[in-house]
Amino acid sequence: MFFYKKTNKLHKNRCFLLLKEELELRIDNSTYMIYEGDSFYIPKNCLHNYLNTSNEEATIIVYFSQLVY
């Protein structure tokens, strides 16, 4: 298992797509289970971290988003 120990506070919105395995995602005071094929969004300025709950390496695509006027 891999636990991302540092709790981050983002300065940009981020979107994630989990391609492989599963994660336990913590955003502020909430915890979510994310499974292969799920996508999730973390708004800027939210504290977050994640735990790979599988025995294999997880694969994630991360992309940034911003408000477009």
Side-chain angles (χ1 to χ4, degrees):
M1 281 190 192
F2 172 75
F3 179 63
Y4 191 73
K5 294 180 182 177
K6 181 180 177 187
T7 301
N8 286 314
K9 198 166 192 179
L10 301 173
H11 300 292
K12 293 184 178 181
N13 298 324
R14 286 191 187 170
C15 297
F16 296 79
L17 175 60
L18 182 60
L19 298 178
K20 184 178 167 188
E21 300 309 326
E22 58 188 48
L23 299 175
E24 179 181 294
L25 173 66
R26 297 178 188 142
I27 302 175
D28 289 332
N29 295 319
S30 300
T31 302
Y32 307 93
M33 287 305 298
I34 308 297
Y35 299 97
E36 199 169 294
D38 288 348
S39 60
F40 52 99
Y41 170 79
I42 301 176
K44 67 180 180 177
N45 298 321
C46 287
L47 294 174
H48 72 283
N49 60 15
Y50 51 85
L51 168 68
N52 181 349
T53 56
S54 70
N55 293 323
E56 301 294 324
E57 183 177 81
T59 304
I60 305 169
I61 293 176
V62 180
Y63 48 102
F64 301 90
S65 63
Q66 61 184 9
L67 187 59
V68 177
Y69 295 96

